[in-house]
Amino acid sequence: ANEAAPGGGNALHHALKRGRGLPFVQALAGAGADLGAVDDGGHMPAHWAAAAGDREVLAWLAERGHGLA
């Protein structure tokens, strides 16, 4: 779940860039994906959730200490 993808992100970055929802994100987190991983552009998964307008994923990440603030 944390293997680097092109652009330096992990599976979570990749999923959020492609609009995957909360159940998919939760499955990746359950498999050990790093919720605070930073890609080569300096973006965390929360940045990609915000860019996609996915408030549900963004709130879930924030509850786990990985929000934008």
Side-chain angles (χ1 to χ4, degrees):
N2 286 313
E3 184 174 331
N10 64 17
L12 191 52
H13 289 91
H14 183 76
L16 290 167
K17 287 180 194 179
R18 280 145 189 83
R20 301 290 186 181
L22 184 58
F24 198 88
V25 169
Q26 289 171 323
L28 288 173
D34 181 358
L35 302 178
V38 178
D39 66 16
D40 289 349
H43 302 103
M44 297 185 314
H47 292 109
W48 290 110
D54 194 330
R55 293 176 185 230
E56 186 178 35
V57 170
L58 193 55
W60 187 85
L61 290 168
E63 289 169 1
R64 282 148 188 80
H66 296 285
L68 294 176

